[in-house]
Amino acid sequence: MPDFTQVIAMLEDIRRLAATAEIDAKLDAVEQELGLLAGDVPPVEPVIPPSVQIPGFEIYGGVETERFPDCCAIGNDDDYYCTGTLIAPTVVVTARHCDDGVTRVFLKGNNIAHPAGGETIPVVAEYENPDVDLRVVVLARPASVPPRHVAQGDEVYAPQMVTLAGFGTMDSSGQVGYGIKREVDVPLTSLDCSAPNDFYNFGGRAGREMVAGQRGLARDSCKGDSGGPLYIQSRNGDDVYLLGATSRGIRRRLTECGDGGIYVRVDRCLDWIRQVTGVDVEGPLN
């Protein structure tokens, strides 16, 4: 059986040199086909953007939480379907594929069925990152909850464990339970997807994405958590910082949820966020 490992690595080099959404999609299709020919990689189902009919990526294997008021549900006029994180008084980051007409966010509360327990704010603008699965939305007014600081510079390191939070589903098939905020701790697998086999094993983009969780762990982000936070403890353990935004499951997953996920490095997108929003998002605290 032929070994396409080197070919797949070459495709990732091409991706880094000329990254566009169209090229990414075509390379993903080629890489999947090569994996199937090699017999090593199971078929990878495409990430289906959430909608009102199909709940978006809730925490699987986690617990309900009232922590993280900055972790918010993302929705349109009809329903909520994704998760996001407040990083400035009027700025929320979520996933680019959460594109079902974002018109509002639900902050502070932990259950979308009880809006009186939270804060609902309309969205006045949104921007899609051209290179990674990240969307930024601008709120009509400042939120009453404190924004979450984004780890950057020397604040970024590779902790053993990270915390995921979101309003997504809670079963391995991603069908049950969207709308309640949950959290779960999982091991950090790759800080920046730069190890030689990271792209082949997980599908993350070197330098732009990270991986958390692992196959068979049964603790993971899931459908409805898309765009939601990956938190790390500060080095001194006194604070919690945002580092990643939930994107999708790993390439070689065996279940819809529970085998590990890929997260966009929000710190690597801060210059773009400041540029498109005109908001001076907080810099390093060190």
Side-chain angles (χ1 to χ4, degrees), residues 25-237:
K26 291 181 178 179
L27 289 177
D28 283 343
V30 173
E31 288 151 3
Q32 181 176 339
E33 182 65 21
L34 289 176
L36 292 173
L37 289 173
D40 294 330
V41 184
V44 180
E45 297 178 359
V47 175
I48 302 174
S51 69
V52 177
Q53 292 77 29
I54 305 176
F57 275 86
E58 170 166 327
I59 296 296
Y60 172 45
V63 296
E64 294 184 21
T65 183
E66 295 185 359
R67 300 203 301 161
F68 312 123
D70 53 284
C71 174
C72 55
I74 301 291
N76 55 30
D77 292 342
D78 298 316
D79 209 347
Y80 291 97
Y81 48 83
C82 274
T83 302
T85 310
L86 183 76
I87 63 169
T90 59
V91 177
V92 168
V93 291
T94 186
R96 184 175 67 188
H97 72 261
C98 295
D99 58 357
D100 197 18
V102 180
T103 61
R104 57 179 176 164
V105 303
F106 174 71
L107 296 138
K108 188 166 64 175
N110 69 339
N111 190 333
I112 62 171
H114 303 290
E119 178 180 23
T120 303
I121 303 180
V123 169
V124 294
E126 55 180 313
Y127 305 93
E128 295 183 358
N129 188 283
D131 299 319
V132 293
D133 187 17
L134 194 76
R135 176 184 302 272
V136 61
V137 300
V138 180
L139 307 182
R141 63 177 185 272
S144 65
V145 303
R148 183 66 55 177
H149 176 71
V150 178
Q152 51 202 287
D154 292 340
E155 298 164 348
V156 177
Y157 71 107
Q160 183 177 0
M161 302 292 289
V162 300
T163 299
L164 312 175
F167 286 81
T169 52
M170 55 182 289
D171 66 311
S172 61
S173 65
Q175 298 297 315
V176 179
Y178 179 83
I180 296 175
K181 182 165 57 180
R182 294 175 172 84
E183 64 171 292
V184 69
D185 292 338
V186 300
L188 178 66
T189 306
S190 173
L191 182 62
D192 60 4
C193 295
S194 61
N197 292 325
D198 277 356
F199 181 75
Y200 178 71
N201 288 329
F202 309 122
R205 296 184 56 188
R208 304 300 301 273
E209 295 178 323
M210 58 193 301
V211 180
Q214 60 194 43
R215 286 205 298 182
L217 186 64
R219 299 200 308 271
D220 200 4
S221 53
C222 196
K223 286 190 173 181
D225 291 319
S226 287
L230 179 153
Y231 296 119
I232 64 171
Q233 291 278 344
S234 61
R235 291 181 187 271
N236 61 15

Side-chain angles (χ1 to χ4, degrees), residues 239-250:
D239 296 295
V240 175
Y241 299 154
L242 176 70
L243 185 57
T246 305
S247 177
R248 60 198 184 277
I250 63 169

Side-chain angles (χ1 to χ4, degrees), residues 93 126-130 134-136 208 268-278:
V93 291
E126 55 180 313
Y127 305 93
E128 295 183 358
N129 188 283
L134 194 76
R135 176 184 302 272
V136 61
R208 304 300 301 273
R268 301 289 170 86
C269 301
L270 280 175
D271 287 342
W272 171 80
I273 293 172
R274 294 180 180 116
Q275 178 183 4
V276 297
T277 65

Side-chain angles (χ1 to χ4, degrees), residues 15 18-29 96 130:
R15 187 196 300 276
T20 68
E22 183 178 359
I23 290 175
D24 278 350
K26 291 181 178 179
L27 289 177
D28 283 343
R96 184 175 67 188

